[in-house]
Amino acid sequence: KSDDELVTKTPIAFRSPGFGSPISYNPKVLESPRLSSGTKTPRLTIREIICYGLGEVGTYLPGLIFSLFFNPFLLETVGLSPFEAGSILVGASIVDGISDPIIGHISDKTTSRFGRRRPYLLYFTIPFVFFYCLSFVIPDFILTSGVLLTIYYFVVVILYTICHATVSVPYTAMTPDLTNDYDERTKLTTARQISALVSGILASFFQATMISVIDNEKISFPFCAVCLGVVMVI
């Protein structure tokens, strides 16, 4: 057999450190030229790295604000019981764990003139922001029923969670699509993490300040959600 046949047809077995059984690896799985070690992608510009990193603001901030403020919002402002609020958050976590791999698989198989990741960012950002803002709105027409309030927030948060995954998973998966260079990927990831850190501090400070300044929490939470939504879209 030729050397090419041996490379593509013969699995390579190597032993993982700390584990007894060898791992089989076939180089033929590297079907994408961007992921192939033999193909060198162009180096990214500073502008491209910064612009990609800034995209993390739109996907990271909603999750951060939810983790810090949504549970107190449900308990203290809406008036749900701990069981009702906990059920909403647990349901959202379960849906998130299921939807992430499904959306990742779908985006991997997507083909369009915009690529396989960008259509999700283009088409689902607005629904993502819309359901995020609805999560911090108290519907007056069902305030008298705790059951209806629980159902309302459960449905809205589930839809928000699905839209969040539909935007964040393809966005994160763009990193290896942009370059196959290890150092370039490190720069992209670093830009994302810096954007998340800085924007997270500013957004948390802004939200806490607005809640304390605006005396009515039924107004302050939706106001902050809309402001953050504008940032997410930009």
Side-chain angles (χ1 to χ4, degrees), residues 7 14 23 41 55 103 110 176 189 229:
V7 169
F14 62 93
I23 300 174
T41 52
I103 293 170
T110 298
T189 303

Side-chain angles (χ1 to χ4, degrees), residues 6 29-30 33 68 71 82 84-85 92 112 120 129 135 137-140 143 153 159 167 171 173 194 224:
L6 290 174
V29 300
L30 298 179
L68 295 177
N71 192 46
E84 292 168 336
S112 74
Y120 298 95
V129 172
S135 300
V137 172
I138 302 178
D140 292 332
L143 273 178
Y153 284 108
L159 292 174
V167 173
Y171 166 73
I194 293 175
C224 292

Side-chain angles (χ1 to χ4, degrees), residues 6-233:
L6 290 174
V7 169
T8 58
K9 295 182 179 180
T10 305
I12 301 172
F14 62 93
R15 195 170 299 278
S16 177
F19 297 91
S21 59
I23 300 174
S24 295
Y25 167 71
N26 194 330
K28 194 175 181 180
V29 300
L30 298 179
E31 296 176 351
S32 171
R34 283 190 174 274
L35 299 180
S36 173
S37 59
T39 303
K40 196 70 173 178
T41 52
R43 294 184 64 86
L44 300 173
T45 64
I46 298 297
R47 178 179 176 273
E48 290 172 332
I49 294 173
I50 293 176
C51 289
Y52 176 75
L54 289 176
E56 183 73 6
V57 174
T59 59
Y60 175 76
L61 288 188
L64 176 66
I65 297 301
F66 251 76
S67 64
L68 295 177
F69 296 99
F70 190 63
N71 192 46
F73 168 76
L74 292 179
L75 295 174
E76 300 172 9
T77 305
V78 180
L80 297 183
S81 68
F83 175 78
E84 292 168 336
S87 299
I88 294 171
L89 297 177
V90 170
S93 298
I94 294 174
V95 171
D96 185 50
I98 296 174
S99 61
D100 282 1
I102 294 176
I103 293 170
H105 177 74
I106 294 174
S107 71
D108 285 342
K109 302 299 182 181
T110 298
T111 56
S112 74
R113 63 191 181 95
F114 297 112
R116 56 179 180 171
R117 314 294 184 191
R118 283 182 289 179
Y120 298 95
L121 308 183
L122 294 173
Y123 300 136
F124 285 92
T125 297
I126 299 300
F128 170 36
V129 172
F130 175 73
F131 288 116
Y132 171 78
C133 293
L134 279 187
S135 300
F136 288 98
V137 172
I138 302 178
D140 292 332
F141 60 93
I142 55 175
L143 273 178
T144 56
S145 175
V147 175
L148 291 179
L149 273 176
T150 303
I151 294 174
Y152 166 81
Y153 284 108
F154 185 83
V155 172
V156 170
V157 171
I158 293 301
L159 292 174
Y160 155 77
T161 301
I162 294 174
C163 290
H164 183 277
T166 308
V167 173
S168 63
V169 171
Y171 166 73
T172 305
M174 287 179 68
T175 301
D177 288 350
L178 293 174
T179 178
N180 63 2
D181 184 85
Y182 175 83
D183 293 331
E184 295 289 285
R185 291 180 180 179
T186 302
K187 293 176 183 177
L188 291 172
T189 303
T190 301
R192 285 177 47 217
Q193 297 306 313
I194 293 175
S195 296
L197 177 63
V198 174
S199 62
I201 294 174
L202 295 177
S204 301
F205 177 77
F206 173 78
Q207 180 105 356
T209 302
M210 289 298 101
I211 292 174
S212 62
V213 170
I214 302 176
D215 190 43
N216 190 345
E217 291 186 350
K218 294 181 180 180
I219 298 176
S220 61
F221 276 103
F223 172 76
C224 292
V226 171
C227 291
L228 181 57
V230 173
V231 175
M232 291 158 58
V233 172

